[in-house]
Amino acid sequence: MYDIIFNMSILVFSHINALRALRRERRIHSAVAWDTLSAADARLALDTCIPNKSQLDMAHFDRLGLVDESDFRPPHLLVASPASRRPSKPRSVIAHVHTGNLPRGAIQCIEHDLYTVSPAFAALQYSLDHSYEATFMLLMELLGTYTLPEEATFPIADGEPWSPEDQTSSASNKNARSDDTDGQPETQDSQRAVPVEQVRYGCEPATTIADLQTLSAWARSSKYASFRKAVRHVKAGSASPMESIMYGVFGLPLSHGGFACNSLPGGGMLLNKRIVFNSQAVTMASGIPYATCDAYIPTAKTALEYNGEYHETARATLHDAKRNNGLKGMGVSVIVVTREQLYDIPALEAIAMSIYRAAGKRFRYRFDGYRERQQNLLNGLRMGTGLPLV
């Protein structure tokens, strides 16, 4: 039995605090190891969450990632009725009343008598106070194989750019990811500190498309329209924030400011698609057995590769050339999207047009004001992961 809080009863953390703890969990353990409660146990946990100031061990909550004592703000908790609120001055917690039925799998156990809402439910709550683009980026993160650090949570939620003092990934960060090695074993060179666009850590996905769709069907209120819209357009498999932005720019519908490549037949855009080389392609690639494409458009037989700073190193350039030769041997065209191009909307438009031509489709706009929509989308996606506007 945990003996960390005096006179402890159940606490159910929610909203931004649940998201912050989730990022810590994925960063530390590379997966979400919390147990999901049954419907009956979730109801019981919620009914018995009656917070009061004497229960709040903020130092322990900080260690779990639920709060940040250096940037303290009252934590968000979920309660079953208005009577469960315990007013105090200054306010020690923000209690949100949830009187109706809970969605399936809505509450997970962190430790004895300490609970949090699920990743999907935390994203639903996040959508109430944030834009469609920010919600989209959060869902891409939860469906992807990366997580932002917990320190980024409050600044990004406040709509502020976030950048740590040392934006590097290194061998000391055992699960930090800088780039794919496409079947090549990691060497000492590949583990050296390299600059990245946004610090992130490799991990298992925190939720699934099926779970998000189930929650979307449950969240029928108009206040959840942004969440339902984001769920319709997200895709699993992104490995970094910049890949998520690239998918948003190229994949989202024209009406949203994207280039609608995900609407192309044959599966649209597939993220981190592995293409296994045949014997000729392996020879062309100097022994590399497969390539993992950041984004692959099957009907156009085209791979999109985002090249951050890591790809500018001599070793990465050599590896990329071998991999691209292997893809060429498989009949796949490779289009490299650089950091600079991801700020250049006309350049992105030209790339999208070439993808459409390769797919045998015509690219055209059917409305005015598309440039403004594209700029708004790009900036909204960047803000959603803590990057400055362009």
Side-chain angles (χ1 to χ4, degrees):
M1 181 175 182
Y2 296 94
D3 187 20
I4 57 172
I5 296 178
F6 297 105
N7 302 318
M8 184 175 182
S9 64
I10 285 174
L11 295 175
V12 181
F13 285 83
S14 66
H15 293 75
I16 198 69
N17 301 94
L19 176 57
R20 194 177 191 280
L22 172 65
R23 283 179 168 147
R24 178 194 177 276
E25 177 77 0
R26 298 180 81 199
R27 177 180 66 83
I28 296 293
H29 301 293
S30 301
V32 182
W34 302 331
D35 293 327
T36 300
L37 301 188
S38 67
D41 287 342
R43 186 74 255 172
L44 178 62
L46 186 60
D47 288 343
T48 52
C49 178
I50 307 175
N52 60 66
K53 193 172 183 179
S54 65
Q55 295 175 262
L56 304 179
D57 185 345
M58 294 302 174
H60 183 66
F61 298 158
D62 184 285
R63 290 191 292 271
L64 294 174
L66 289 160
V67 303
D68 179 4
E69 285 199 296
S70 66
D71 178 21
F72 181 73
R73 45 189 90 188
H76 295 258
L77 299 174
L78 208 61
V79 299
S81 73
S84 300
R85 289 172 167 167
R86 296 290 181 88
S88 62
K89 294 182 180 180
R91 185 161 57 165
S92 57
V93 301
I94 300 173
H96 300 268
V97 178
H98 185 94
T99 58
N101 293 328
L102 289 165
R104 186 180 65 188
I107 296 180
Q108 296 180 314
C109 180
I110 298 179
E111 59 183 33
H112 182 66
D113 284 346
L114 199 58
Y115 301 87
T116 179
V117 297
S118 68
F121 201 32
L124 177 72
Q125 295 171 335
Y126 190 82
S127 71
L128 294 175
D129 301 313
H130 295 86
S131 67
Y132 158 76
E133 293 84 3
T135 302
F136 174 89
M137 286 300 292
L138 174 58
L139 293 182
M140 291 292 291
E141 178 185 344
L142 299 183
L143 290 166
T145 56
Y146 71 94
T147 183
L148 298 178
E150 61 269 28
E151 291 83 4
T153 305
F154 289 163
I156 293 175
D158 292 340
E160 301 172 357
W162 178 83
S163 176
E165 293 182 0
D166 180 18
Q167 283 214 27
T168 60
S169 62
S170 66
S172 63
N173 292 330
K174 64 180 180 66
N175 61 339
R177 170 178 174 172
S178 58
D179 251 290
D180 288 320
T181 54
D182 293 325
Q184 293 294 306
E186 280 200 331
T187 66
Q188 186 175 358
D189 286 343
S190 69
Q191 294 178 351
R192 290 175 183 167
V194 292
V196 293
E197 289 281 353
Q198 183 62 286
V199 167
R200 81 278 189 189
Y201 295 85
C203 59
E204 295 297 315
T207 190
T208 66
I209 292 286
D211 286 343
L212 293 176
Q213 290 173 339
T214 298
L215 184 58
S216 182
W218 176 88
R220 294 188 294 268
S221 170
S222 60
K223 65 183 180 181
Y224 298 128
S226 178
F227 178 81
R228 294 195 300 269
K229 179 181 173 183
V231 169
R232 287 196 297 271
H233 296 117
V234 291
K235 181 88 72 169
S238 177
S240 74
M242 299 309 292
E243 287 184 21
S244 294
I245 291 174
M246 185 174 73
Y247 169 70
V249 168
F250 284 104
L252 288 174
L254 296 174
S255 60
H256 294 19
F259 294 111
C261 291
N262 196 49
S263 66
L264 292 171
M269 294 177 66
L270 307 177
L271 300 184
N272 282 285
K273 169 69 175 176
R274 177 181 289 194
I275 298 179
V276 179
F277 293 163
N278 59 27
S279 58
Q280 178 181 336
V282 169
T283 302
M284 291 179 65
S286 300
I288 295 176
Y290 63 86
T292 302
C293 305
D294 291 345
Y296 179 61
I297 302 93
T299 191
K301 294 208 76 173
T302 299
L304 285 177
E305 293 293 326
Y306 173 73
N307 274 18
E309 289 179 303
Y310 168 78
H311 291 269
E312 298 168 5
T313 65
R315 181 181 179 277
T317 300
L318 177 61
H319 176 266
D320 289 349
K322 294 177 181 179
R323 180 204 59 198
N324 292 349
N325 283 344
L327 287 169
K328 185 68 174 178
M330 297 295 293
V332 176
S333 298
V334 178
I335 298 177
V336 174
V337 181
T338 66
R339 288 177 293 146
E340 292 76 13
Q341 285 177 317
L342 205 49
Y343 311 149
D344 186 348
I345 290 176
L348 298 173
E349 179 186 66
I351 292 172
M353 288 179 174
S354 72
I355 293 172
Y356 273 72
R357 283 195 300 271
K361 300 293 182 180
R362 180 183 176 188
F363 179 87
R364 61 178 178 177
Y365 297 111
R366 294 180 174 85
F367 50 83
D368 297 327
Y370 51 85
R371 276 290 184 265
E372 182 179 0
R373 297 189 192 201
Q374 291 163 350
Q375 189 66 53
N376 290 340
L377 173 65
L378 177 58
N379 278 328
L381 297 176
R382 290 178 63 84
M383 284 184 63
T385 194
L387 294 171
L389 303 183
V390 295

